[in-house]
Amino acid sequence: MSIAKKLYRAGPYADLFSEGVQVGEALYLAGQVGVDENGRAPDDLVEQMKLAYANIQQVLAQFDATIDHLVEETWFVTDIEDCMSKAPALFSAREAIYGKKPEVAQTLVQVVALVDPSFKIEIKCIAAMNAPR
């Protein structure tokens, strides 16, 4: 039995990974890191988070979805102390991106490293396509 999936592939590893997969009303986004269009990551965690959300929004757009469709987020950070010390700035910037207080379940996980040593955060999300806009 095969499950109907809609895939979005992009970037240098498009032949290996999908940026997003829609199955029915559920949309699963691969972890997005805070890099600009040239693949560069700023040194600041808050700036990386903003870029990660910009990349999330680009993937969501491929499925005619918006940030309002997100129902769950997992933040993977390489330095929990840095994250907690910048929590007010991180959550203020996150609220500005959502345009309101986000209505999502969120998990914060510290990891030893991400795929590139300059990456400080990766955000993985799940969206519900029938979520109110």
Side-chain angles (χ1 to χ4, degrees):
M1 181 172 140
S2 175
I3 297 174
K5 299 176 189 176
K6 178 181 175 186
L7 302 175
Y8 170 64
R9 297 178 185 270
Y13 302 106
D15 57 334
L16 300 174
F17 304 108
S18 296
E19 296 294 319
V21 178
Q22 183 178 355
V23 179
E25 295 293 317
L27 176 56
Y28 303 91
L29 276 66
Q32 298 296 311
V33 293
V35 296
D36 63 19
E37 62 277 353
N38 298 312
R40 288 189 224 116
D43 288 334
D44 181 65
L45 175 62
V46 176
E47 293 306 312
Q48 282 196 24
M49 183 212 64
K50 290 178 185 177
L51 285 170
Y53 275 111
N55 294 332
I56 287 166
Q57 289 172 312
Q58 287 179 359
V59 175
L60 288 167
Q62 301 303 312
F63 295 92
D64 295 322
T66 69
I67 200 130
D68 289 331
H69 287 95
L70 294 181
V71 295
E72 182 180 10
E73 301 175 338
T74 302
W75 286 15
F76 299 95
V77 297
T78 57
D79 185 340
I80 198 76
E81 290 179 18
D82 185 37
C83 181
M84 297 312 291
S85 72
K86 294 180 179 167
L90 285 164
F91 288 105
S92 176
R94 179 174 168 246
E95 189 172 322
I97 291 163
Y98 273 88
K100 60 183 177 185
K101 289 204 179 290
E103 298 171 342
V104 297
Q106 186 183 31
T107 302
L108 175 62
V109 179
Q110 179 172 312
V111 295
V112 173
L114 294 169
V115 69
D116 182 299
S118 66
F119 298 165
K120 297 178 181 211
I121 188 168
E122 181 171 326
I123 304 173
K124 183 179 183 317
C125 302
I126 299 174
M129 297 305 292
N130 59 355
R133 291 182 183 219

